[in-house]
Amino acid sequence: MRPVEVFHNGTTNVRAGTKNDIADIKTPKISEDVMQILNFIDGKWVSPSTGEFITSNSPINQKPIARVPASAKADMDLAIASAKAAFPSWSSEFVSNRVEYMLKLANLMEENKELLVHYETIDTGTMESFNRNENIDMCIKSLRQCAGYFKARLARPMSVIVSGDLGILPESLKTKEAMNLTYREPIGVAVIYSPCTVPLLHMMWKVAACLAVGNTCVCKPHHLTSTSSMILSTLIKKAGIPDGVVNIVFGEDDPVSEDLGTNKDVSAISMMGSTTCFPAVLPQATLAFKRTEVEFAGNNPAIIFDDCDIDECVNGSLRSCFLNKGEICTCTRRLYIHSSIYAEFLERFKKAIREQIKIGDPRRSDISYGPFVSKMLVEKIKSYITLAREEGANVDIVLNEEQEADSSIKISDPNDGSLEVEGCYGEHFIAPTIITGLKDDSLVAKDYYFSPVLSVFSFDDEDEVIRRANDVRYILGTTIWSKDPKRLERVSKQIDTGFVWYNNWYLRDMSIPFGGHIAYGSGKSGADDIFEFYTKGRTISSLIP
């Protein structure tokens, strides 16, 4: 069959038609080239059924970087059908063969790391240094780690020897013993949504586990941040992963999600981030007894006791509050500082912000954080800052002293923390903002939103701070700063959170259970939990001669 041109990025044609065809994507200059993204279904790149595309602009300067398919229900249905058709052969593959495909994909991602770093940076506004040193490496690690872990896990079924002394058994069996073996098996087709923040990593966590145990999937990246997923599709093809095992449908959530919860060919749905289709899809899926996994971020507290190492705490809190402009699900949103060190800590913390946190083009190595990916999110953050002022709180916009002196950043509106940044599109930037004097029940402190905006409180005793820290709907992770091991353990057991860091933040192994409590969502990432989610059990009882 004659190959068909399906993609053009300004310099290279990407063709599909034979099994080994693969796009040779080169890094374009943001001002000159626009990536044409296409749905990846059954191993082919295809246009959306609507024939329409959405222009995606870089949050750095609002220049177009991609044309994203405006997909519809028909495209999702086609991708699900492709995944269903691929399931029997993929699930029956030897685990070692599936692992080999995954390791090939990991190696290809490593070879193309700089390409992925570039697009994750210009597409999301995430720091290039973060993408290079953490984000993409964690994507690769998730593939390798899942490949190794699930290969070993699937090879050892749970076994129990049971005796026949139950009263309901006939006499002939009461002296017998049986071996009970429980095997874990793949469940079928999974639909995996990823958010607009750190999109590739959040997708790979799920996809790696899904594939390793023998499922097939349809991935649904956020329409604002789709370029790295397009590149991923070409690497999947080059790795030789059979057609239909991984499908990727691009576009806005609602059109492609219509009736997804009742689709009989879907066994599991995983959603992460503020996906608009949650309210429609999840009730349907629950009533249809599908596996569902939902993950939000958290309104995460840091509790700073008077015996902490203040220097370590200031430096650790800078990272937990402002890494990727607070646009990470575990970032600290609320600081509770013991009253005896409140003034000293806050003064030193603000001084550290002025000296160390620089805002600008995320491709620069000396910049701490860049723009937000979404104008809607920026407007939401600004509304909370405005609300804090209206409630009579103290709002302190803290700017880097060097940048303020050379005018490379300027406050656009002193009421809401918005910034003009030299060489960038200013409407997507928010300054580090410290809010004090809030009431505990203020929406500014209680709601969940990614931002470099911190609600700061003082406290006097342990019981008080535990109660106040727990008084929100979303908690994913908590950081506690103290030199007292007994206090650390005592407080951590009373915080309604899924993850607690003692005197550090963000240090964790990806195999460890990870997820929050309360309205954070359902399900957890981590080797054992995600293994259970993507598999079903089958127990066989066999008499022992």
Coordinates of all heavy atoms in Angstrom, one line a residue, residues 125-131 133-135 138 197-198 315-333 349 357 367-370 372 432 450-452 454 505-507:
G125 N 5.3 25.7 29.8 CA 5.9 26.7 30.6 C 6.7 26.2 31.7 O 7.2 27.0 32.6
T126 N 6.8 24.9 31.8 CA 7.6 24.3 32.9 C 9.1 24.5 32.6 O 9.6 24.6 31.5 CB 7.4 22.8 32.9 OG1 6.0 22.5 33.0 CG2 8.1 22.1 34.0
M127 N 9.9 24.7 33.7 CA 11.3 25.0 33.6 C 12.0 23.9 32.7 O 11.9 22.7 33.0 CB 11.9 25.1 35.0 CG 11.4 26.2 35.8 SD 11.6 27.8 35.0 CE 13.3 27.8 34.6
E128 N 12.8 24.4 31.8 CA 13.6 23.5 31.0 C 14.6 22.6 31.9 O 14.7 21.4 31.7 CB 14.5 24.2 30.0 CG 15.2 23.3 29.0 CD 15.9 24.2 27.9 OE1 15.2 24.4 26.9 OE2 17.0 24.6 28.1
S129 N 15.1 23.2 32.9 CA 16.0 22.5 33.8 C 15.2 21.4 34.6 O 15.8 20.3 34.8 CB 16.7 23.5 34.8 OG 15.7 24.2 35.6
F130 N 14.0 21.7 35.0 CA 13.2 20.7 35.6 C 12.9 19.5 34.7 O 12.9 18.4 35.1 CB 11.9 21.3 36.2 CG 10.9 20.4 36.7 CD1 11.1 19.8 38.0 CD2 9.8 20.0 36.0 CE1 10.1 18.9 38.5 CE2 8.8 19.1 36.5 CZ 9.0 18.6 37.7
N131 N 12.5 19.9 33.5 CA 12.2 18.9 32.5 C 13.4 18.0 32.2 O 13.3 16.8 32.1 CB 11.7 19.5 31.2 CG 10.3 20.1 31.3 OD1 9.5 19.5 32.1 ND2 10.0 21.2 30.7
N133 N 16.2 17.6 34.2 CA 16.9 16.9 35.3 C 15.9 16.0 36.1 O 16.4 15.1 36.9 CB 17.5 18.0 36.2 CG 18.5 18.8 35.6 OD1 19.2 18.3 34.7 ND2 18.6 20.1 35.9
E134 N 14.6 16.2 35.9 CA 13.6 15.4 36.7 C 12.5 14.8 35.9 O 12.3 13.6 35.8 CB 13.0 16.3 37.8 CG 14.1 16.8 38.8 CD 13.5 17.5 40.0 OE1 12.5 17.0 40.6 OE2 13.9 18.6 40.4
N135 N 11.8 15.6 35.2 CA 10.5 15.2 34.5 C 10.7 14.1 33.5 O 10.1 13.0 33.7 CB 9.9 16.5 33.8 CG 8.6 16.1 33.1 OD1 8.0 15.1 33.4 ND2 8.2 17.0 32.3
M138 N 12.1 10.9 35.0 CA 11.1 10.1 35.7 C 10.1 9.3 34.8 O 9.6 8.2 35.1 CB 10.3 11.0 36.6 CG 11.1 11.5 37.8 SD 10.3 12.7 38.8 CE 9.1 11.7 39.7
T197 N -0.6 19.9 33.4 CA 0.7 20.1 34.1 C 1.5 18.9 34.1 O 1.0 17.8 34.4 CB 0.4 20.6 35.6 OG1 -0.5 19.5 36.2 CG2 -0.4 21.9 35.6
V198 N 2.8 19.0 33.7 CA 3.7 17.8 33.6 C 2.9 16.7 32.9 O 2.9 15.6 33.5 CB 4.2 17.4 35.0 CG1 5.5 16.6 34.9 CG2 4.4 18.6 35.9
N315 N 15.0 26.9 53.0 CA 15.4 26.4 51.7 C 14.4 25.3 51.2 O 14.1 25.2 50.0 CB 16.8 25.8 51.7 CG 17.8 26.9 51.9 OD1 17.7 28.0 51.4 ND2 18.9 26.6 52.6
G316 N 14.0 24.4 52.0 CA 13.1 23.3 51.6 C 11.7 23.9 51.3 O 11.1 23.4 50.3
S317 N 11.3 24.9 52.0 CA 10.0 25.5 51.7 C 10.0 26.3 50.4 O 9.0 26.4 49.7 CB 9.5 26.4 52.9 OG 9.4 25.6 54.0
L318 N 11.1 26.9 50.1 CA 11.3 27.6 48.8 C 10.9 26.6 47.6 O 10.2 26.9 46.7 CB 12.7 28.2 48.6 CG 13.0 29.5 49.2 CD1 14.4 29.9 48.8 CD2 12.0 30.6 48.7
R319 N 11.5 25.4 47.8 CA 11.3 24.4 46.7 C 9.8 23.9 46.8 O 9.2 23.8 45.7 CB 12.3 23.3 46.9 CG 12.2 22.2 45.9 CD 13.3 21.2 46.0 NE 13.1 20.0 45.3 CZ 13.3 19.8 44.0 NH1 13.7 20.9 43.3 NH2 13.1 18.7 43.4
S320 N 9.3 23.6 47.9 CA 8.0 23.0 48.0 C 6.9 24.0 47.6 O 5.8 23.6 47.2 CB 7.7 22.5 49.4 OG 7.5 23.5 50.4
C321 N 7.2 25.3 47.8 CA 6.2 26.3 47.5 C 6.2 26.8 46.0 O 5.2 27.1 45.4 CB 6.3 27.5 48.4 SG 6.0 27.1 50.1
F322 N 7.5 26.8 45.4 CA 7.6 27.5 44.2 C 8.2 26.7 43.0 O 8.3 27.2 41.9 CB 8.5 28.8 44.4 CG 8.0 29.8 45.4 CD1 8.6 30.0 46.6 CD2 6.8 30.4 45.2 CE1 8.1 30.9 47.5 CE2 6.2 31.3 46.1 CZ 6.9 31.5 47.3
L323 N 8.5 25.4 43.3 CA 8.9 24.6 42.2 C 7.8 24.6 41.1 O 6.7 24.3 41.4 CB 9.2 23.2 42.6 CG 9.7 22.2 41.5 CD1 11.1 22.7 41.0 CD2 9.8 20.8 42.0
N324 N 8.2 24.9 39.8 CA 7.3 24.9 38.7 C 6.1 25.9 39.1 O 5.0 25.6 38.8 CB 6.8 23.5 38.4 CG 6.1 23.5 37.0 OD1 6.5 24.2 36.1 ND2 5.1 22.7 36.9
K325 N 6.4 27.0 39.7 CA 5.4 28.0 40.1 C 4.3 27.5 40.9 O 3.2 28.0 40.9 CB 4.9 28.8 38.9 CG 4.1 28.1 37.9 CD 4.8 28.1 36.6 CE 4.0 27.3 35.5 NZ 4.8 26.4 34.7
G326 N 4.6 26.4 41.7 CA 3.6 25.8 42.5 C 2.6 24.9 41.8 O 1.6 24.4 42.3
E327 N 3.0 24.6 40.5 CA 2.1 23.9 39.6 C 2.4 22.4 39.6 O 2.6 21.8 38.6 CB 2.2 24.4 38.2 CG 0.9 24.2 37.3 CD 1.0 25.0 36.0 OE1 2.1 25.2 35.5 OE2 -0.1 25.2 35.5
I328 N 2.6 21.9 40.8 CA 2.8 20.4 41.1 C 1.9 20.0 42.2 O 1.7 20.7 43.2 CB 4.3 20.2 41.5 CG1 5.2 20.4 40.3 CG2 4.5 18.7 42.0 CD1 6.7 20.3 40.6
C329 N 1.3 18.8 42.0 CA 0.2 18.4 42.9 C 0.6 18.4 44.4 O -0.3 18.5 45.3 CB -0.4 17.1 42.5 SG 0.8 15.7 42.4
T330 N 1.9 18.2 44.7 CA 2.3 18.1 46.1 C 2.9 19.4 46.7 O 3.3 19.4 47.8 CB 3.4 17.0 46.3 OG1 4.5 17.3 45.4 CG2 2.9 15.6 45.9
C331 N 2.8 20.5 45.9 CA 3.4 21.7 46.3 C 2.6 22.2 47.6 O 1.4 22.0 47.7 CB 3.3 22.8 45.2 SG 4.7 22.7 44.1
T332 N 3.4 22.9 48.4 CA 2.8 23.5 49.7 C 1.9 24.7 49.3 O 2.4 25.6 48.6 CB 3.9 23.9 50.6 OG1 4.7 22.8 51.0 CG2 3.3 24.5 51.9
R333 N 0.7 24.8 49.9 CA -0.2 25.9 49.7 C -0.4 26.7 51.0 O -0.8 27.8 50.9 CB -1.5 25.4 49.2 CG -1.5 24.8 47.8 CD -1.7 25.8 46.7 NE -0.7 26.8 46.7 CZ 0.6 26.6 46.2 NH1 0.9 25.5 45.7 NH2 1.4 27.6 46.2
F349 N 12.2 34.0 55.1 CA 11.6 33.3 53.9 C 11.4 34.3 52.8 O 11.8 34.1 51.6 CB 10.3 32.7 54.3 CG 9.6 31.9 53.3 CD1 10.3 30.8 52.7 CD2 8.3 32.2 52.9 CE1 9.7 30.0 51.8 CE2 7.7 31.4 51.9 CZ 8.4 30.3 51.3
I357 N 14.3 33.5 43.9 CA 13.3 33.2 43.0 C 13.2 34.2 41.8 O 12.8 35.3 42.0 CB 11.9 33.1 43.7 CG1 12.0 32.1 44.8 CG2 10.8 32.7 42.7 CD1 12.2 30.7 44.4
I367 N 16.5 30.9 35.7 CA 15.1 31.2 36.0 C 14.5 30.2 36.9 O 14.7 29.0 36.7 CB 14.3 31.4 34.8 CG1 14.7 32.6 34.0 CG2 12.8 31.6 35.1 CD1 14.6 33.9 34.7
S368 N 13.8 30.6 37.9 CA 13.2 29.7 38.9 C 11.8 29.1 38.4 O 11.5 28.0 38.6 CB 13.0 30.3 40.3 OG 14.2 30.9 40.7
Y369 N 11.0 30.0 37.8 CA 9.8 29.5 37.2 C 9.3 30.4 36.1 O 9.7 31.6 36.0 CB 8.7 29.2 38.3 CG 8.0 30.4 39.0 CD1 7.1 31.2 38.3 CD2 8.3 30.7 40.3 CE1 6.4 32.2 38.9 CE2 7.6 31.7 41.0 CZ 6.7 32.5 40.3 OH 6.0 33.5 40.9
G370 N 8.5 29.8 35.3 CA 8.0 30.5 34.1 C 6.5 30.7 34.1 O 5.9 30.9 35.2
F372 N 2.3 30.3 33.6 CA 1.3 29.2 33.7 C 0.8 28.8 32.3 O 0.7 29.7 31.4 CB 0.1 29.7 34.5 CG 0.4 29.7 36.0 CD1 1.0 30.8 36.6 CD2 0.1 28.6 36.8 CE1 1.3 30.8 38.0 CE2 0.4 28.5 38.1 CZ 1.0 29.6 38.7
P432 N 5.4 35.6 43.2 CA 5.3 35.0 44.5 C 4.5 35.9 45.5 O 4.8 37.1 45.6 CB 6.8 34.8 45.0 CG 7.5 34.8 43.7 CD 6.8 35.7 42.8
F450 N -3.5 25.5 41.8 CA -2.0 25.7 41.6 C -1.7 27.1 41.6 O -2.3 27.9 40.9 CB -1.6 25.1 40.2 CG -1.6 23.6 40.2 CD1 -2.1 22.9 39.1 CD2 -1.1 22.8 41.2 CE1 -2.1 21.5 39.0 CE2 -1.1 21.4 41.2 CZ -1.6 20.8 40.1
S451 N -0.6 27.5 42.3 CA -0.2 28.9 42.3 C 1.1 29.1 43.1 O 1.4 28.2 44.0 CB -1.3 29.8 42.8 OG -1.4 29.7 44.2
P452 N 1.8 30.2 42.9 CA 2.8 30.6 43.9 C 2.3 31.5 45.0 O 3.0 32.4 45.5 CB 3.8 31.3 42.9 CG 2.9 32.0 42.0 CD 1.7 31.1 41.8
L454 N 0.8 31.8 48.7 CA 0.8 31.0 50.0 C -0.1 31.7 51.0 O 0.0 32.9 51.2 CB 2.2 31.0 50.5 CG 3.3 30.3 49.6 CD1 4.6 30.4 50.3 CD2 2.9 28.9 49.3
W505 N 11.1 17.5 51.3 CA 9.9 17.5 50.4 C 10.3 16.9 49.1 O 11.4 17.2 48.5 CB 9.4 19.0 50.2 CG 8.3 19.1 49.2 CD1 7.0 18.7 49.5 CD2 8.3 19.5 47.9 NE1 6.2 18.9 48.3 CE2 7.0 19.4 47.3 CE3 9.3 19.9 47.0 CZ2 6.7 19.7 46.0 CZ3 9.1 20.3 45.7 CH2 7.7 20.2 45.2
Y506 N 9.4 16.2 48.5 CA 9.4 15.6 47.1 C 10.3 14.4 47.0 O 10.4 13.8 45.9 CB 9.9 16.7 46.2 CG 9.4 16.5 44.7 CD1 8.0 16.5 44.5 CD2 10.3 16.3 43.7 CE1 7.6 16.3 43.2 CE2 9.8 16.1 42.4 CZ 8.5 16.1 42.1 OH 8.0 16.0 40.8
L507 N 11.0 14.0 48.1 CA 11.8 12.8 48.0 C 11.0 11.6 48.2 O 10.4 11.4 49.3 CB 12.9 12.8 49.1 CG 14.0 13.9 48.9 CD1 15.0 13.9 50.1 CD2 14.8 13.7 47.6

